[in-house]
Amino acid sequence: FFASGYRAVWTYHTELSDYGARVDKMQNILEMGVGLGRLILHYFPFAANLYGCDVTPEAIAWTKSKLGHRVQLQTTGLEPPLPYADGQFDFVYANSVFTHVPCSLMDSWAAELHRIIRPGGFLIFSVFDPNHYLRDMTYREFHRRFQARGCTDWEQDKGVLMMTYLSRDQLFRTWGEYFSVLELRQHYREQSHVICKR
């Protein structure tokens, strides 16, 4: 639990550093989908104000009891808006969040994150890499069910555990309206990261 969170945060730091951003110079950082705080606790050594939000009230209650002395935590809804000011954050990250957001809400979430990230600030979020997560189907089936459609969601009956796949073109098209999409970076046996700058 601790080690996997550290590795994930180190990956975010590396990606930010590759584009000239320094976590030690940031004032406000938000983890969207903070859950049990597995990642955000690794930002404790930095001076930034730390924020976390999640749609699961039980997770927020538990995390507040453990990390509330250092992180400002908030239960939020499945749809925007978020309870933050315009341009409040230097950096927002969302680990395994947009893999579970319906296609119909993707554009409104891109607009909302654009609103709360300051000009020059960064957004990094993870998405399913088809070479890892969808590799068990034929190319023809993958293209028909996922790639050609751009955004595909399934298992909607599972609520926040539903699944969403965004093609590379769809990612750049949707998020590119609100951010400079710098890179879609693949990670070995992990979700890929979409690195964006406001």
Side-chain angles (χ1 to χ4, degrees):
F1 185 84
F2 186 88
S4 65
Y6 179 83
R7 285 193 302 271
V9 168
W10 183 256
T11 299
Y12 287 126
H13 285 217
T14 300
E15 291 165 343
L16 289 167
S17 178
D18 288 347
Y19 288 98
R22 292 181 50 181
V23 175
D24 62 332
K25 300 294 185 186
M26 294 180 177
Q27 293 182 343
N28 296 299
I29 296 172
L30 169 67
E31 180 175 358
M32 185 179 177
V34 69
L36 301 179
R38 179 175 66 97
L39 274 61
I40 202 153
L41 65 86
H42 296 287
Y43 287 92
F44 282 17
F46 299 98
N49 301 309
L50 301 177
Y51 298 80
C53 63
D54 203 286
V55 299
T56 309
E58 297 83 2
I60 288 293
W62 187 90
T63 306
K64 270 187 182 177
S65 74
K66 304 299 181 189
L67 307 179
H69 64 286
R70 181 65 174 88
V71 185
Q72 297 179 52
L73 295 154
Q74 183 88 32
T75 303
T76 50
L78 295 171
E79 299 183 26
L82 292 171
Y84 306 114
D86 294 359
Q88 182 171 346
F89 295 103
D90 300 287
F91 175 42
V92 174
Y93 64 97
N95 194 70
S96 204
V97 170
F98 289 101
T99 51
H100 305 285
V101 169
C103 297
S104 60
L105 295 177
M106 207 61 66
D107 187 74
S108 58
W109 275 117
E112 178 65 359
L113 293 178
H114 175 268
R115 181 186 71 78
I116 66 170
I117 295 173
R118 68 166 177 80
F122 286 83
L123 164 68
I124 302 177
F125 63 96
S126 65
V127 293
F128 288 133
D129 183 330
N131 292 309
H132 178 55
Y133 291 91
L134 302 172
R135 68 178 181 262
D136 293 331
M137 62 182 68
T138 66
Y139 177 78
R140 180 175 289 173
E141 182 184 7
F142 165 69
H143 189 272
R144 180 181 57 81
R145 290 180 54 197
F146 296 96
Q147 195 69 13
R149 295 173 63 185
C151 187
T152 304
D153 47 42
W154 66 101
E155 297 183 352
Q156 291 87 346
D157 59 317
K158 292 188 176 181
V160 296
L161 297 178
M162 63 162 293
M163 309 292 267
T164 304
Y165 171 76
L166 288 146
S167 71
R168 179 186 176 87
D169 288 347
Q170 187 70 35
L171 282 167
F172 279 77
R173 188 165 44 249
T174 300
W175 294 87
E177 285 191 41
Y178 302 96
F179 294 91
S180 293
V181 181
L182 303 172
E183 185 181 350
L184 174 60
R185 186 175 295 192
Q186 293 179 303
H187 294 283
Y188 177 66
R189 300 184 71 178
E190 290 288 346
Q191 295 177 11
S192 297
H193 286 183
V194 183
I195 307 169
C196 303
K197 187 175 183 180
R198 164 98 152 71

